[in-house]
Amino acid sequence: WSRIKIRMSFFADVPKAPPDPLLSITGRFKADSRPNKYDLGIGVLRRTDNTSHEFETVKTAAKSVAPSCFYPHPGGDDKFVSLMAELVFGTSSLPPRVMGVQTVGGSGALRVCAELLVSQGITTMMLPDPSWANHKPLLGGGGLKVLDYRYFKQDTHTVDIDGMLADIQACPPKTAIMFQVAAHNPTGVDITDEQWDKILDLMKSRRDLFPVFDSAYQGLARGLNEDIQIVRKFFDAGLEFAVCSSCSKNFGLYGERVGSFFVACETPEIASCVDSRCKLKIRHNYSVPPLFGAKIVSAILSDPELRKKWEQELAETRSTLNRAHSAFAQALAKGGLHSKFSAPRFGLFTQLYLNEQQVLSLETDHACYVAPGGRVNVSSLDEQAAANVATAVVQVLKSS
Protein backbone atom coordinates (compact mmCIF):
# COMPACT_ATOMS: atom_id res chain seq x y z
CA TRP A 1 0.00 0.00 0.00
CA SER A 2 1.26 3.46 -0.84
CA ARG A 3 0.39 6.31 1.37
CA ILE A 4 -0.78 9.49 -0.23
CA LYS A 5 0.15 12.51 1.80
CA ILE A 6 -2.62 15.05 1.75
CA ARG A 7 -1.77 18.48 3.08
CA MET A 8 -4.73 19.67 5.12
CA SER A 9 -5.53 21.63 8.25
CA PHE A 10 -7.46 20.30 11.20
CA PHE A 11 -9.07 23.73 11.36
CA ALA A 12 -10.03 24.17 7.72
CA ASP A 13 -13.74 24.10 8.55
CA VAL A 14 -13.59 26.57 11.44
CA PRO A 15 -15.96 29.43 10.58
CA LYS A 16 -14.64 32.94 11.04
CA ALA A 17 -16.11 34.56 14.14
CA PRO A 18 -18.14 37.70 13.52
CA PRO A 19 -16.47 40.94 14.63
CA ASP A 20 -17.34 42.01 18.16
CA PRO A 21 -19.95 44.76 17.68
CA LEU A 22 -18.44 46.79 20.52
CA LEU A 23 -14.70 46.24 20.10
CA SER A 24 -14.88 46.86 16.36
CA ILE A 25 -15.99 50.47 16.97
CA THR A 26 -12.45 51.54 17.85
CA GLY A 27 -11.05 50.44 14.49
CA ARG A 28 -13.69 52.38 12.55
CA PHE A 29 -13.19 55.43 14.77
CA LYS A 30 -9.42 55.46 14.21
CA ALA A 31 -9.91 55.14 10.45
CA ASP A 32 -12.28 58.14 10.39
CA SER A 33 -10.38 61.21 9.15
CA ARG A 34 -13.02 63.75 10.23
CA PRO A 35 -11.54 66.20 12.78
CA ASN A 36 -14.57 66.45 15.06
CA LYS A 37 -15.36 62.86 15.92
CA TYR A 38 -16.47 61.19 19.16
CA ASP A 39 -15.61 57.70 20.40
CA LEU A 40 -18.48 56.96 22.80
CA GLY A 41 -18.59 53.19 22.46
CA ILE A 42 -16.02 51.23 24.46
CA GLY A 43 -16.68 51.23 28.20
CA VAL A 44 -13.35 52.72 29.24
CA LEU A 45 -13.01 55.72 31.52
CA ARG A 46 -11.67 58.58 29.40
CA ARG A 47 -10.60 62.18 29.77
CA THR A 48 -12.19 64.97 27.75
CA ASP A 49 -9.32 64.79 25.23
CA ASN A 50 -10.38 61.12 24.63
CA THR A 51 -7.23 59.69 26.21
CA SER A 52 -7.50 56.94 28.80
CA HIS A 53 -8.05 58.18 32.34
CA GLU A 54 -4.95 57.44 34.40
CA PHE A 55 -4.93 57.83 38.16
CA GLU A 56 -1.80 59.60 39.39
CA THR A 57 -1.83 57.49 42.55
CA VAL A 58 -1.74 54.35 40.45
CA LYS A 59 1.30 55.57 38.53
CA THR A 60 3.00 56.51 41.81
CA ALA A 61 2.25 53.16 43.45
CA ALA A 62 3.39 51.22 40.38
CA LYS A 63 6.92 52.57 40.82
CA SER A 64 7.23 50.73 44.13
CA VAL A 65 5.96 47.36 42.87
CA ALA A 66 8.62 44.88 41.80
CA PRO A 67 8.00 42.00 39.38
CA SER A 68 6.80 38.78 41.03
CA CYS A 69 9.22 35.93 40.41
CA PHE A 70 7.15 33.26 42.10
CA TYR A 71 3.69 31.72 41.87
CA PRO A 72 1.03 32.95 44.28
CA HIS A 73 -1.53 30.42 45.46
CA PRO A 74 -4.70 30.18 43.31
CA GLY A 75 -6.49 32.69 45.55
CA GLY A 76 -3.93 35.36 44.72
CA ASP A 77 -2.47 38.01 46.98
CA ASP A 78 -3.88 37.72 50.52
CA LYS A 79 -3.15 41.34 51.41
CA PHE A 80 -5.05 42.51 48.34
CA VAL A 81 -8.03 40.31 49.22
CA SER A 82 -8.11 41.65 52.78
CA LEU A 83 -7.94 45.27 51.61
CA MET A 84 -10.66 44.70 49.00
CA ALA A 85 -12.83 43.11 51.70
CA GLU A 86 -12.46 46.37 53.62
CA LEU A 87 -13.67 48.33 50.58
CA VAL A 88 -16.62 46.00 50.01
CA PHE A 89 -17.75 45.12 53.53
CA GLY A 90 -16.47 48.15 55.44
CA THR A 91 -14.57 45.92 57.86
CA SER A 92 -10.92 46.00 58.91
CA SER A 93 -10.32 42.53 57.45
CA LEU A 94 -12.11 39.64 55.79
CA PRO A 95 -15.17 38.81 57.96
CA PRO A 96 -15.08 35.25 59.40
CA ARG A 97 -18.12 34.04 57.47
CA VAL A 98 -16.83 35.46 54.17
CA MET A 99 -14.36 33.82 51.80
CA GLY A 100 -12.45 35.87 49.26
CA VAL A 101 -10.06 35.31 46.37
CA GLN A 102 -8.27 37.49 43.85
CA THR A 103 -9.48 36.91 40.29
CA VAL A 104 -8.53 37.83 36.72
CA GLY A 105 -10.58 41.01 36.67
CA GLY A 106 -14.27 41.25 37.39
CA SER A 107 -14.90 38.91 34.46
CA GLY A 108 -12.83 36.21 36.16
CA ALA A 109 -14.86 36.70 39.32
CA LEU A 110 -18.09 36.21 37.38
CA ARG A 111 -16.79 33.01 35.77
CA VAL A 112 -15.58 31.56 39.09
CA CYS A 113 -18.97 32.46 40.56
CA ALA A 114 -20.84 30.70 37.75
CA GLU A 115 -18.82 27.50 38.10
CA LEU A 116 -19.25 27.51 41.89
CA LEU A 117 -23.02 27.96 41.69
CA VAL A 118 -23.45 25.24 39.08
CA SER A 119 -21.46 22.83 41.28
CA GLN A 120 -24.01 23.48 44.04
CA GLY A 121 -27.06 22.86 41.87
CA ILE A 122 -27.80 26.55 41.23
CA THR A 123 -28.04 26.32 37.47
CA THR A 124 -30.11 29.42 36.56
CA MET A 125 -29.24 33.08 37.01
CA MET A 126 -31.56 36.03 36.45
CA LEU A 127 -30.03 39.22 35.04
CA PRO A 128 -31.51 42.71 34.80
CA ASP A 129 -32.91 43.52 31.37
CA PRO A 130 -30.81 45.13 29.98
CA SER A 131 -27.38 44.27 31.35
CA TRP A 132 -23.74 44.26 30.27
CA ALA A 133 -23.51 42.58 26.85
CA ASN A 134 -20.86 40.07 27.98
CA HIS A 135 -22.78 38.87 31.05
CA LYS A 136 -24.75 36.20 29.21
CA PRO A 137 -21.90 34.54 27.25
CA LEU A 138 -19.54 34.79 30.22
CA LEU A 139 -21.95 33.26 32.72
CA GLY A 140 -23.44 30.86 30.21
CA GLY A 141 -19.96 29.60 29.41
CA GLY A 142 -19.65 28.75 33.10
CA GLY A 143 -22.65 26.45 32.85
CA LEU A 144 -25.47 28.73 33.95
CA LYS A 145 -28.79 29.14 32.18
CA VAL A 146 -29.21 32.90 32.00
CA LEU A 147 -32.64 34.57 32.00
CA ASP A 148 -33.86 38.14 32.47
CA TYR A 149 -35.95 40.04 34.97
CA ARG A 150 -37.56 43.40 34.26
CA TYR A 151 -35.35 46.34 35.18
CA PHE A 152 -35.79 49.37 32.90
CA LYS A 153 -38.97 51.21 31.93
CA GLN A 154 -38.40 52.61 28.47
CA ASP A 155 -41.34 55.01 28.68
CA THR A 156 -39.88 56.83 31.70
CA HIS A 157 -36.21 55.69 31.75
CA THR A 158 -36.55 54.65 35.39
CA VAL A 159 -36.17 51.36 37.26
CA ASP A 160 -39.19 49.06 36.92
CA ILE A 161 -39.17 48.11 40.58
CA ASP A 162 -42.64 46.52 40.55
CA GLY A 163 -41.81 44.37 37.53
CA MET A 164 -38.46 43.43 39.03
CA LEU A 165 -39.92 42.35 42.36
CA ALA A 166 -42.66 40.36 40.65
CA ASP A 167 -40.19 38.54 38.41
CA ILE A 168 -37.86 37.73 41.31
CA GLN A 169 -40.72 36.55 43.48
CA ALA A 170 -41.79 34.17 40.69
CA CYS A 171 -38.35 32.50 40.52
CA PRO A 172 -38.11 28.87 41.64
CA PRO A 173 -35.85 27.94 44.57
CA LYS A 174 -32.09 27.75 43.96
CA THR A 175 -32.13 30.55 41.39
CA ALA A 176 -29.33 33.12 41.44
CA ILE A 177 -30.33 36.78 41.11
CA MET A 178 -27.74 39.25 39.84
CA PHE A 179 -27.82 42.88 40.90
CA GLN A 180 -25.53 45.62 39.59
CA VAL A 181 -24.77 47.62 42.72
CA ALA A 182 -24.13 51.02 41.08
CA ALA A 183 -23.58 52.82 37.76
CA HIS A 184 -25.79 50.37 35.88
CA ASN A 185 -24.38 49.19 32.56
CA PRO A 186 -25.78 50.08 30.02
CA THR A 187 -28.51 52.48 31.22
CA GLY A 188 -26.82 54.52 33.96
CA VAL A 189 -30.14 54.31 35.85
CA ASP A 190 -29.57 52.96 39.36
CA ILE A 191 -31.80 51.40 41.98
CA THR A 192 -32.70 53.97 44.66
CA ASP A 193 -32.18 53.42 48.40
CA GLU A 194 -35.91 52.97 48.90
CA GLN A 195 -36.07 50.41 46.09
CA TRP A 196 -33.04 48.55 47.50
CA ASP A 197 -34.86 48.24 50.84
CA LYS A 198 -37.79 46.59 49.05
CA ILE A 199 -35.41 44.18 47.31
CA LEU A 200 -33.73 43.34 50.61
CA ASP A 201 -37.09 42.64 52.25
CA LEU A 202 -37.99 40.31 49.38
CA MET A 203 -34.68 38.46 49.53
CA LYS A 204 -34.98 38.04 53.31
CA SER A 205 -38.34 36.35 52.70
CA ARG A 206 -36.91 34.25 49.83
CA ARG A 207 -33.74 32.80 51.32
CA ASP A 208 -34.00 29.99 48.77
CA LEU A 209 -32.76 32.51 46.17
CA PHE A 210 -29.07 33.40 45.93
CA PRO A 211 -28.07 37.06 45.38
CA VAL A 212 -25.00 37.90 43.30
CA PHE A 213 -23.71 41.49 43.32
CA ASP A 214 -21.72 42.75 40.35
CA SER A 215 -19.62 45.69 41.54
CA ALA A 216 -17.73 47.07 38.56
CA TYR A 217 -17.90 50.80 39.30
CA GLN A 218 -17.61 51.30 43.07
CA GLY A 219 -16.96 54.96 43.81
CA LEU A 220 -18.01 56.24 40.38
CA ALA A 221 -21.74 56.72 41.00
CA ARG A 222 -22.56 58.35 44.36
CA GLY A 223 -19.58 57.55 46.55
CA LEU A 224 -17.12 54.88 47.62
CA ASN A 225 -19.30 53.75 50.54
CA GLU A 226 -22.67 54.75 49.10
CA ASP A 227 -22.19 52.59 46.01
CA ILE A 228 -21.62 49.41 48.03
CA GLN A 229 -23.98 50.10 50.95
CA ILE A 230 -26.55 47.53 49.84
CA VAL A 231 -23.96 44.74 50.07
CA ARG A 232 -23.29 45.71 53.68
CA LYS A 233 -27.02 45.71 54.42
CA PHE A 234 -27.34 42.18 53.02
CA PHE A 235 -24.38 41.15 55.16
CA ASP A 236 -25.85 42.68 58.31
CA ALA A 237 -29.11 40.86 57.56
CA GLY A 238 -27.24 37.55 57.76
CA LEU A 239 -27.92 36.55 54.15
CA GLU A 240 -25.70 34.38 51.98
CA PHE A 241 -24.59 36.04 48.73
CA ALA A 242 -21.66 36.59 46.37
CA VAL A 243 -19.83 39.74 45.26
CA CYS A 244 -17.88 40.06 42.00
CA SER A 245 -15.68 43.16 42.16
CA SER A 246 -13.52 44.87 39.54
CA CYS A 247 -10.64 47.37 39.87
CA SER A 248 -10.61 48.20 36.16
CA LYS A 249 -12.58 51.43 36.40
CA ASN A 250 -12.02 52.85 39.89
CA PHE A 251 -8.26 52.30 39.64
CA GLY A 252 -7.94 52.54 35.85
CA LEU A 253 -6.25 49.13 35.72
CA TYR A 254 -8.08 47.69 32.70
CA GLY A 255 -5.05 45.96 31.24
CA GLU A 256 -3.81 44.47 34.51
CA ARG A 257 -6.98 42.39 35.10
CA VAL A 258 -7.52 43.00 38.82
CA GLY A 259 -10.66 41.63 40.45
CA SER A 260 -11.94 39.82 43.51
CA PHE A 261 -14.67 37.35 44.39
CA PHE A 262 -16.34 37.06 47.78
CA VAL A 263 -18.97 34.70 49.12
CA ALA A 264 -20.76 35.45 52.38
CA CYS A 265 -21.71 32.10 53.90
CA GLU A 266 -23.85 31.08 56.85
CA THR A 267 -20.87 30.07 59.01
CA PRO A 268 -17.07 30.42 58.99
CA GLU A 269 -16.78 26.64 58.58
CA ILE A 270 -18.85 26.75 55.39
CA ALA A 271 -16.82 29.73 54.16
CA SER A 272 -13.63 27.74 54.60
CA CYS A 273 -14.97 24.90 52.46
CA VAL A 274 -16.20 27.30 49.76
CA ASP A 275 -12.78 28.97 49.80
CA SER A 276 -11.03 25.67 49.13
CA ARG A 277 -13.48 24.80 46.36
CA CYS A 278 -13.05 28.17 44.60
CA LYS A 279 -9.27 27.90 44.73
CA LEU A 280 -9.49 24.44 43.19
CA LYS A 281 -11.67 25.75 40.37
CA ILE A 282 -9.21 28.58 39.75
CA ARG A 283 -6.31 26.12 39.75
CA HIS A 284 -8.10 24.01 37.12
CA ASN A 285 -8.91 27.07 35.01
CA TYR A 286 -6.20 29.76 34.84
CA SER A 287 -4.04 28.38 37.68
CA VAL A 288 -3.21 31.68 39.43
CA PRO A 289 -4.07 35.37 38.95
CA PRO A 290 -1.49 38.00 37.96
CA LEU A 291 0.02 39.95 40.86
CA PHE A 292 1.30 43.27 39.48
CA GLY A 293 -2.02 45.14 39.38
CA ALA A 294 -3.18 43.65 42.67
CA LYS A 295 0.00 44.85 44.37
CA ILE A 296 -0.57 48.35 42.98
CA VAL A 297 -4.04 48.38 44.54
CA SER A 298 -2.64 47.04 47.81
CA ALA A 299 0.06 49.72 47.86
CA ILE A 300 -2.57 52.44 47.50
CA LEU A 301 -5.09 51.08 49.99
CA SER A 302 -2.48 50.32 52.66
CA ASP A 303 -0.77 53.72 52.51
CA PRO A 304 -2.87 56.42 54.26
CA GLU A 305 -1.48 59.25 52.14
CA LEU A 306 -1.85 57.44 48.82
CA ARG A 307 -5.31 56.23 49.76
CA LYS A 308 -6.44 59.74 50.61
CA LYS A 309 -5.15 61.02 47.26
CA TRP A 310 -6.79 58.12 45.42
CA GLU A 311 -10.14 58.82 47.09
CA GLN A 312 -9.78 62.48 46.07
CA GLU A 313 -9.04 61.45 42.47
CA LEU A 314 -12.03 59.14 42.54
CA ALA A 315 -14.28 61.92 43.84
CA GLU A 316 -13.05 64.28 41.11
CA THR A 317 -13.67 61.61 38.47
CA ARG A 318 -17.15 60.99 39.86
CA SER A 319 -17.92 64.71 39.73
CA THR A 320 -16.69 64.86 36.14
CA LEU A 321 -18.99 62.00 35.17
CA ASN A 322 -21.95 63.61 36.91
CA ARG A 323 -21.29 66.91 35.12
CA ALA A 324 -21.08 65.05 31.80
CA HIS A 325 -24.44 63.35 32.42
CA SER A 326 -25.99 66.68 33.38
CA ALA A 327 -24.61 68.49 30.36
CA PHE A 328 -25.74 65.75 27.98
CA ALA A 329 -29.23 65.59 29.51
CA GLN A 330 -29.62 69.37 29.37
CA ALA A 331 -28.50 69.43 25.75
CA LEU A 332 -30.97 66.70 24.82
CA ALA A 333 -33.76 68.57 26.62
CA LYS A 334 -32.79 71.80 24.84
CA GLY A 335 -33.16 69.91 21.57
CA GLY A 336 -36.76 69.13 22.44
CA LEU A 337 -36.46 65.44 23.30
CA HIS A 338 -38.80 63.75 25.77
CA SER A 339 -38.07 64.44 29.44
CA LYS A 340 -37.28 60.74 29.99
CA PHE A 341 -33.86 61.35 28.43
CA SER A 342 -33.10 63.70 31.33
CA ALA A 343 -33.77 61.10 34.06
CA PRO A 344 -30.84 60.86 36.55
CA ARG A 345 -27.87 58.78 35.36
CA PHE A 346 -24.74 57.60 37.16
CA GLY A 347 -21.39 56.21 36.05
CA LEU A 348 -20.05 55.94 32.53
CA PHE A 349 -23.17 55.25 30.51
CA THR A 350 -26.53 56.40 29.32
CA GLN A 351 -28.74 54.29 27.06
CA LEU A 352 -30.74 56.02 24.32
CA TYR A 353 -32.39 52.91 22.84
CA LEU A 354 -31.59 53.66 19.22
CA ASN A 355 -32.23 51.20 16.44
CA GLU A 356 -29.50 49.90 14.14
CA GLN A 357 -30.16 52.49 11.43
CA GLN A 358 -30.06 55.35 13.94
CA VAL A 359 -26.76 54.13 15.38
CA LEU A 360 -25.37 53.89 11.84
CA SER A 361 -26.61 57.39 11.02
CA LEU A 362 -24.88 58.83 14.09
CA GLU A 363 -21.66 57.23 12.94
CA THR A 364 -21.74 57.95 9.21
CA ASP A 365 -23.45 61.35 9.23
CA HIS A 366 -22.23 62.85 12.51
CA ALA A 367 -18.98 61.00 13.44
CA CYS A 368 -20.52 59.92 16.75
CA TYR A 369 -19.52 56.34 17.50
CA VAL A 370 -21.89 54.77 20.04
CA ALA A 371 -22.43 51.17 21.13
CA PRO A 372 -25.21 48.98 19.71
CA GLY A 373 -28.60 50.04 21.04
CA GLY A 374 -27.39 53.59 21.55
CA ARG A 375 -25.29 53.14 24.69
CA VAL A 376 -23.22 56.29 25.15
CA ASN A 377 -20.04 56.47 27.23
CA VAL A 378 -20.23 60.05 28.54
CA SER A 379 -16.88 60.12 30.33
CA SER A 380 -15.09 62.11 27.60
CA LEU A 381 -17.83 64.72 27.16
CA ASP A 382 -17.28 68.28 28.30
CA GLU A 383 -20.13 70.78 27.90
CA GLN A 384 -19.33 71.62 24.28
CA ALA A 385 -18.86 67.98 23.25
CA ALA A 386 -22.09 67.03 25.07
CA ALA A 387 -23.94 69.72 23.15
CA ASN A 388 -22.49 68.56 19.82
CA VAL A 389 -23.36 64.90 20.42
CA ALA A 390 -26.82 65.80 21.70
CA THR A 391 -27.48 67.88 18.60
CA ALA A 392 -26.56 64.88 16.45
CA VAL A 393 -28.81 62.57 18.49
CA VAL A 394 -31.74 65.00 18.19
CA GLN A 395 -31.29 65.27 14.43
CA VAL A 396 -31.15 61.49 14.02
CA LEU A 397 -34.20 60.87 16.21
CA LYS A 398 -36.29 63.58 14.59
CA SER A 399 -35.41 62.44 11.07
CA SER A 400 -36.29 58.76 11.62
Side-chain angles (χ1 to χ4, degrees), residues 10-151:
F10 289 101
F11 308 105
D13 60 347
V14 173
K16 190 176 182 64
D20 186 289
L22 190 57
L23 298 180
S24 61
I25 293 173
T26 300
R28 299 197 303 275
F29 174 80
K30 289 180 178 180
D32 192 333
S33 61
R34 288 174 288 185
N36 296 317
K37 57 182 180 177
Y38 301 94
D39 184 359
L40 310 169
I42 302 298
V44 174
L45 195 61
R46 300 181 186 276
R47 298 191 184 278
T48 53
D49 62 359
N50 207 44
T51 58
S52 297
H53 184 105
E54 295 179 339
F55 288 84
E56 291 302 317
T57 44
V58 169
K59 291 194 288 185
T60 298
K63 296 176 183 177
S64 66
V65 177
S68 300
C69 301
F70 62 94
Y71 283 123
H73 63 74
D77 186 85
D78 293 326
K79 182 179 179 180
F80 165 80
V81 173
S82 180
L83 289 166
M84 286 303 299
E86 178 189 343
L87 272 190
V88 172
F89 294 96
T91 55
S92 59
S93 60
L94 193 66
R97 74 177 186 95
V98 177
M99 62 71 57
V101 292
Q102 179 193 339
T103 57
V104 181
S107 297
L110 289 165
R111 189 55 169 257
V112 172
C113 178
E115 293 185 9
L116 173 67
L117 296 183
V118 170
S119 73
Q120 292 305 112
I122 303 174
T123 57
T124 300
M125 180 179 284
M126 301 290 288
L127 299 181
D129 180 21
S131 197
W132 179 44
N134 208 31
H135 268 146
K136 287 187 176 181
L138 189 60
L139 295 163
L144 286 169
K145 178 181 180 181
V146 183
L147 303 174
D148 298 321
Y149 62 78
R150 284 171 283 180
Y151 182 86

Side-chain angles (χ1 to χ4, degrees), residues 193-270:
D193 291 340
E194 181 182 3
Q195 291 168 338
W196 272 126
D197 287 340
K198 292 181 179 180
I199 294 169
L200 175 57
D201 286 341
L202 173 58
M203 298 306 288
K204 286 194 290 188
S205 70
R206 288 294 311 273
R207 290 179 180 249
D208 55 351
L209 303 177
F210 187 77
V212 176
F213 294 101
D214 187 8
S215 179
Y217 304 95
Q218 185 181 351
L220 292 172
R222 293 189 300 165
L224 197 57
N225 292 311
E226 292 86 346
D227 292 350
I228 205 70
Q229 190 60 42
I230 189 57
V231 171
R232 298 172 185 178
K233 286 185 176 182
F234 269 64
F235 182 75
D236 291 341
L239 295 174
E240 291 194 315
F241 58 88
V243 182
C244 303
S245 179
S246 169
C247 296
S248 292
K249 287 80 176 177
N250 53 9
F251 286 89
L253 288 168
Y254 295 91
E256 300 302 330
R257 312 311 300 138
V258 187
S260 53
F261 176 58
F262 299 98
V263 182
C265 303
E266 185 175 346
T267 67
E269 292 75 21
I270 295 174

Side-chain angles (χ1 to χ4, degrees), residues 129-130 150-162 164 184 187-192 195 339-345 353:
D129 180 21
R150 284 171 283 180
Y151 182 86
F152 190 72
K153 297 173 72 172
Q154 290 197 34
D155 57 340
T156 60
H157 282 209
T158 56
V159 172
D160 184 0
I161 187 62
D162 293 331
M164 179 195 306
H184 181 266
T187 68
V189 175
D190 281 353
I191 299 169
T192 66
Q195 291 168 338
S339 60
K340 68 183 181 181
F341 290 103
S342 300
R345 304 303 208 274
Y353 280 94

